[in-house]
């Protein structure tokens, strides 16, 4: 929905293509690859334990983002797609930080991290969907945690997330605090 309103037509792919093309062109002029994070959604991730099988067949814009970026030369564009579930602000007002907040996110490339199978998963036909609903409630995060995660990754010499869709979840340790 955010990719459509108020333009009445999807704009995400136009934006992704423009940014990716500009990064590739800049890379060619500079002589080194450009590192970029793009924002997708959980629907672009593979189902746990089922490589190549999408978690949800919704929001195909995210799959188009992945297809677009996968076609760019890795020698010019070192991309990753952050694939969170719902994100909300940690605070109602903007606060400048004196120091980093610390990063509570657990990440996994191309699938959802820390997926829990429930007793409902064995129910014929409906079990998989019940599993998804129960798990989805655990995958909400904050805008600030996502920004911290990407910023920390950008400071690395090399990243294990380059060329991947990156699923995230708040670590169980942080949830208990």
């Amino acid at each position: 929905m955010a990719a459509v309103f108020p333009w009445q037509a999807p704009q995400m792919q136009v934006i992704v293509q423009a940014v990716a093309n500009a990064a590739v062109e800049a890379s060619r002029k500079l002589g080194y690859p450009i590192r970029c994070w793009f924002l997708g959604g959980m629907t672009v991730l593979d189902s746990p334990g089922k490589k190549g099988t999408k978690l949800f067949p919704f929001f195909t814009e995210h799959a188009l983002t992945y297809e677009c970026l996968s076609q760019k030369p890795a020698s010019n564009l070192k991309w990753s797609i952050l694939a969170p579930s719902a994100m909300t602000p940690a605070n109602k007002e903007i606060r400048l930080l004196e120091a980093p907040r610390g990063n509570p996110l657990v990440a996994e490339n191309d699938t959802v991290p820390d997926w829990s199978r429930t007793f409902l998963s064995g129910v014929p036909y409906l079990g998989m969907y019940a599993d998804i609903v129960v798990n989805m409630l655990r995958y909400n995060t904050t805008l600030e945690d996502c920004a911290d995660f990407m910023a920390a990754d950008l400071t690395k010499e090399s990243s294990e997330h380059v060329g991947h869709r990156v699923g995230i979840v708040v670590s169980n340790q942080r949830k208990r605090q």
Side-chain angles (χ1 to χ4, degrees):
M1 190 69 170
V4 176
F5 183 80
W7 302 279
Q8 304 305 315
Q11 297 296 308
M12 182 185 292
Q13 292 317 301
V14 174
I15 295 166
V16 168
Q17 191 71 254
V19 171
N21 288 342
V24 168
E25 183 63 29
S27 169
R28 289 181 177 143
K29 288 182 180 177
L30 294 169
Y32 57 85
I34 302 292
R35 177 74 174 106
C36 283
W37 274 94
F38 291 82
L39 184 61
M42 243 180 138
T43 59
V44 75
L45 297 171
D46 291 342
S47 292
K50 298 178 182 176
K51 187 175 173 81
T53 304
K54 294 293 167 257
L55 185 60
F56 307 107
F58 314 123
F59 306 113
T60 57
E61 288 277 317
H62 302 308
L64 295 173
T65 296
Y66 177 56
E67 287 176 26
C68 169
L69 296 174
S70 295
Q71 295 172 9
K72 301 299 176 194
S75 59
N76 297 110
L77 180 60
K78 296 199 175 296
W79 60 268
S80 299
I81 300 174
L82 187 69
S85 181
M87 295 185 295
T88 56
N91 300 297
K92 290 184 180 183
E93 65 279 341
I94 297 172
R95 296 181 186 167
L96 297 178
L97 300 177
E98 302 275 331
R101 294 169 7 113
N103 196 321
L105 300 180
V106 173
E108 191 166 335
N109 289 337
D110 303 316
T111 191
V112 288
D114 197 29
W115 189 264
S116 300
R117 298 207 35 117
T118 68
F119 70 94
L120 298 169
S121 62
V123 176
Y125 304 109
L126 299 176
M128 176 183 73
Y129 298 106
D131 244 8
I132 290 170
V133 170
V134 169
N135 272 286
M136 287 302 294
L137 301 174
R138 301 182 318 112
Y139 284 86
N140 294 344
T141 186
T142 66
L143 296 164
E144 293 83 351
D145 287 342
C146 291
D148 284 349
F149 176 83
M150 290 183 290
D153 186 74
L154 288 170
T155 64
K156 296 177 181 177
E157 183 74 25
S158 66
S159 170
E160 67 273 20
H161 302 303
V162 170
H164 291 283
R165 302 155 291 157
V166 182
I168 55 172
V169 66
V170 176
S171 73
N172 287 330
Q173 193 173 42
R174 173 77 175 259
K175 287 179 185 175
R176 285 183 232 140
Q177 294 177 348

